Amino acid sequence: MSYALTIEPLGRSIEVEEGQTILDAALRAGIFLPHACGQGYCATCKVTVTDGEVDQGNASNFALMDYERDEGKVLACCAKLESDLVIEVEIETDEDARDIPVRDYHGVVSRIEDLTPTIKGIWIKLDEGETLDFQAGQYINLNLPGELGFRAFSLANAPSAGNEIELNIRIVPGGAGTTWIHNELKAGDRLSLTGPYGRFLVHRSAGVPSLFMAGGSGLSSPRSMILDLLEEGSTLPITLVYGARNQAELYYHQEFVELAARHSHFSYVPALSDEPADSDWQGFRGYVHEAAKAHFDNDFRGRKAYLCGPPLMIEACISTLMQGRLFERDIYTEKFFSAADAQQVRSPLFKRV
C-alpha cells in the first residue's frame, strides 16, 4: 500500500510506501528536506501538515512540543503517512547543492587501519557496478547488526573514489555502535549503507577563499572537500586548521604537509592542545580557534569558513570568527546530534548550530 505526499511550496507529489517516513521518501525522490540527526532528537526536519493524517513515530517531546503537535507540526524523520498527505516546508535554495537521490548500497570492508589510538579508518569496497555519487562534505548512514541500528559517518574520500568509500570513526566511550566497529568489525565483513545525506558542502559559486577548521575525527569532511577542490584544479586559497590533543592523535598529518608543498595556494596549520612541553613538536601549541586567530591575525574577512568537530570546538571557532569580522552568512558547520546533544542549549550566537 502507498500514499501520495505533496510537498509545498514545491508543488511536488511523490509516492510513499506504507511504513516509510516523510524524510526517507523525499530524499529517495531527490527532494532535499532540512534534517540533521534523523532520529527525532534535533527538530531540524520539522514540517507542517496541512491535510491528511500521520503517525508521529518516536519524535521526542523535547524536539516536538505538545502544542506544536496540536498545530500540525511533525518531524519528517519520524512521521509516517496514514493517508494522502500535504505538507509545507521551509526550504532554502542553494545553487551549489546537487539533489542526489538517496540509495541503499552494499559492500565489503576492504581494509581497516588505526589512524590514531582512538580513530580507525574503515574502507568499504562497494559491490561491482555500484558507485556512491555524493558531494564532498556529505555523509552516509552505516547499518550495524542487530539492535545497534544505524550510525551517521562523514565520507573522508574525494567523490572521484566513490566505488570505495572511507570512513574515519572515533570510538565513543560507552558508545555501543563505535565500540562494535572498533572491536568486532574486520576486513572481509559485508556491510550495507544508505546515502548520501547532508548539505555541508563547499560554496564554490561565491568565488572566495575557503577556511576549514576541524578537530578530531571531524577532519573527515574537510579532507574530502579539500581533496575534491585540489583535484578539480581550484586556484583559490585554501586553509586547513586542524587540532588534536597530541601528535599521536594527529592523523593524515604527512599527507597535508605534502599537499601544502605541492600546492602553493593550500596552507596547513596543525595545532596540538595537550602535547608534552618537552616533545619535538615545532608547530602551534593550543586550540584550533587560537591557531586560526594567530594565522590570520584575527581578520577572517572575505572567506567562507567550514567547521567540523566537537561542539565546544565549534562554539569557540564561531566566536573567534565573528570577533574577526566573519559573520553568519559565511560560516557553515557540520554537527551530528545524539539524544544527549538534543538536551543541550544551542548557541545564542548562531542559528545554524
Side-chain angles (χ1 to χ4, degrees), residues 116-144:
T116 79
T118 61
I119 300 173
K120 285 186 182 289
I122 310 294
W123 282 262
I124 303 172
K125 183 76 170 180
L126 301 181
D127 288 350
E128 186 175 353
E130 291 192 351
T131 298
L132 176 61
D133 182 19
F134 71 97
Q135 286 187 270
Q138 291 191 291
Y139 67 94
I140 56 93
N141 283 335
L142 186 65
N143 297 314
L144 304 182

Side-chain angles (χ1 to χ4, degrees), residues 58 126 220 291:
N58 60 346
L126 301 181
S220 299

Side-chain angles (χ1 to χ4, degrees), residues 287-334:
Y287 295 98
V288 171
H289 65 285
E290 297 170 332
K293 182 176 181 177
H295 183 78
F296 288 101
D297 196 24
N298 199 33
D299 187 351
F300 301 101
R301 289 175 295 177
R303 297 177 172 81
K304 293 284 189 183
Y306 305 90
L307 282 50
C308 308
L312 288 177
M313 186 217 86
I314 289 179
E315 294 287 342
C317 288
I318 289 171
S319 179
T320 298
L321 291 169
M322 296 182 76
Q323 290 170 18
R325 292 178 285 184
L326 192 70
F327 299 105
E328 179 181 343
R329 65 180 179 274
D330 296 316
I331 303 173
Y332 304 89
T333 69
E334 177 187 55

Side-chain angles (χ1 to χ4, degrees), residues 19-39:
Q20 188 177 24
T21 65
I22 291 173
L23 180 62
D24 185 62
L27 295 177
R28 289 178 183 273
I31 301 173
F32 177 80
L33 299 184
H35 62 281
C37 76
Q39 300 184 67

